[in-house]
Amino acid sequence: MKTILFYVNILTLLCACQSNYKNQPIPGMVWIPPGEFVQGALPNDTMAMNHEKPAHRVSVSGFFIDSTEITNAQFKKFVVATQYVTLAERAVDWEEMKKQLPSSVPKPHDSLLQPGSLTFKPSQDKLPNLFDFSQWWQWTIGANWKHPQGPNSSIEGKDNHPVVHIAYVDALAYCKWAGRSLPTEAQWEYAARGQQQGIFPWNSENTQLFKQANTWDGSFPDTNSLKDDFLRTAKVGSFPPNNFGLYDMSGNVWEWTSDWYNTRYYKNIKEDIIVNPKGASMAFNPNNRYTSERVIKGGSFLCNASYCASFRISSRMASSEDSSSEHKGFRTVLNVK
């Protein structure tokens, strides 16, 4: 019969294994220890939006997370191994597409129903309003992860830039191949905070934002002063890490999470503290009734204080699962049971 001492020894060993995960490094990943934090907009964040409120307490278990966004080189390795074809490279199925559109939308000409993705087009002049994003986004046939600005562009020499034009299904496919997952919004936000309660991954000051993140410097979307040296994506790790050792948790490219985007989710939370939340049980956005959306985090090289200020930790935006664009990528997590 096993003695009590036997079970005590086993429990001691298990606890030691848990505490030593950070001492068992996984190349390219950082161990995030378990902890509690406040998720959502902080009281001193004057740029916070309503869907970031109210803030609420969260507890998360420890996990590994990529120290950088997934790069072109990493994604290429996946594609070579699996022959995977991203959504932006696939033939457009109008019968499937029209299910997500109002019935009044007519079928476009076949010449327009070609594989492609959204690319950024700077404005030539200051815009009177920034509500209509079609003023700086365009559908570009032939744009995909290998051709970020269209068929005449390439990623040659950009192995260490974040991969872009990644739809949710593409990110999931990579995760399955790598034995990883997409982070929950809570995991992402906890990792970005880096054991401090600042508005940004560094602290609560953005007076020298150009030294901390790749964002849009100047007047959006017509004039980028290039104060941070980058017009579009930057090589991962070009800016200082947070105190967890994670790079580009602010700016560069938006990052997918596994959470449904639901404008009511934060407001419906009743618990004093939520343990390992996985977000809303369903998507809901009164401004988009036709597609299911996921939460994306971190902002991108296009973020500017005059438009979205999404280089803040609590910032959260909605993205349709089938949407890819020039400023959207991802990073992965490895959950430990």
Side-chain angles (χ1 to χ4, degrees), residues 14 89 209 270:
L14 289 174
E89 299 171 275
L209 178 62
K270 305 299 181 185

Side-chain angles (χ1 to χ4, degrees), residues 92-137:
V92 179
D93 185 343
W94 170 246
E95 293 303 315
E96 191 62 32
M97 179 184 288
K98 72 179 183 181
K99 295 177 184 177
Q100 305 177 46
L101 301 171
S103 57
S104 59
V105 175
K107 179 183 177 182
H109 190 274
D110 287 344
S111 63
L112 300 176
L113 292 176
Q114 301 294 322
S117 189
L118 292 171
T119 59
F120 174 68
K121 55 172 183 178
S123 172
Q124 298 300 311
D125 305 294
K126 288 185 179 296
L127 299 176
N129 72 75
L130 298 177
F131 295 107
D132 181 7
F133 58 81
S134 67
Q135 296 174 106
W136 56 85
W137 283 111

